[in-house]
Amino acid sequence: MSDFLPVNDLDRAIRAVQKSPAAMPDVYRHLCEGELWFAIKYHPELEDGGGLELQNGDPVPFAMLDDGKGHTYVPLFSSDARFDESLERGKVPEKTFIAAAMPAKQILEILSKLNL
């Protein structure tokens, strides 16, 4: 992680908490502000900035990871740069996923209701 370059306040807060647990309140504060990024399956119409609308009862479009132990996770990212880094590190083929973002409070509320 030596090449980690913070691009926003959440990144800086995460970096600070790695140095001292006393910085954790800043992580929580910044986690709930702004936007969080997530992966959805690639759709060409979304590539040009097309929107995705979720209605109550719709299946969630988020990419989900299974840890093999019965737990499912939705990876969230602090920025599109962190999303891109993750795909690159994971050697994910192009046009498998596309980045999407929504207000952090909104995605955290949605995820809290999924019982993951």
Side-chain angles (χ1 to χ4, degrees):
M1 241 174 39
S2 61
D3 59 346
F4 180 85
L5 297 174
V7 296
N8 58 34
D9 290 337
L10 179 55
D11 283 346
R12 284 185 276 286
I14 291 169
R15 185 58 132 189
V17 86
Q18 292 172 330
K19 296 175 184 175
S20 169
M24 192 54 111
D26 282 339
V27 170
Y28 291 130
R29 185 168 39 83
H30 292 297
L31 181 64
C32 292
E33 295 174 352
E35 293 183 320
L36 287 174
W37 295 77
F38 51 93
I40 59 175
K41 288 194 182 276
Y42 176 82
H43 295 282
E45 64 275 8
L46 297 176
E47 197 166 37
D48 295 326
L52 177 69
E53 188 174 321
L54 292 178
Q55 301 290 329
N56 281 340
D58 285 350
V60 293
F62 316 124
M64 296 188 191
L65 301 175
D66 184 337
D67 70 355
K69 299 176 184 176
H71 299 101
T72 302
Y73 300 92
V74 174
L76 297 175
F77 305 91
S78 60
S79 66
D80 58 339
R82 298 284 91 90
F83 173 84
D84 292 340
E85 289 170 2
S86 178
L87 294 184
E88 187 176 314
R89 263 190 251 121
K91 296 180 174 62
V92 177
E94 282 190 39
K95 299 188 178 188
T96 300
F97 296 107
I98 193 164
M102 69 172 56
K105 286 183 181 179
Q106 186 178 8
I107 191 166
L108 293 173
E109 180 181 353
I110 291 168
L111 293 177
S112 74
K113 293 177 180 173
L114 294 179
N115 297 320
L116 300 178

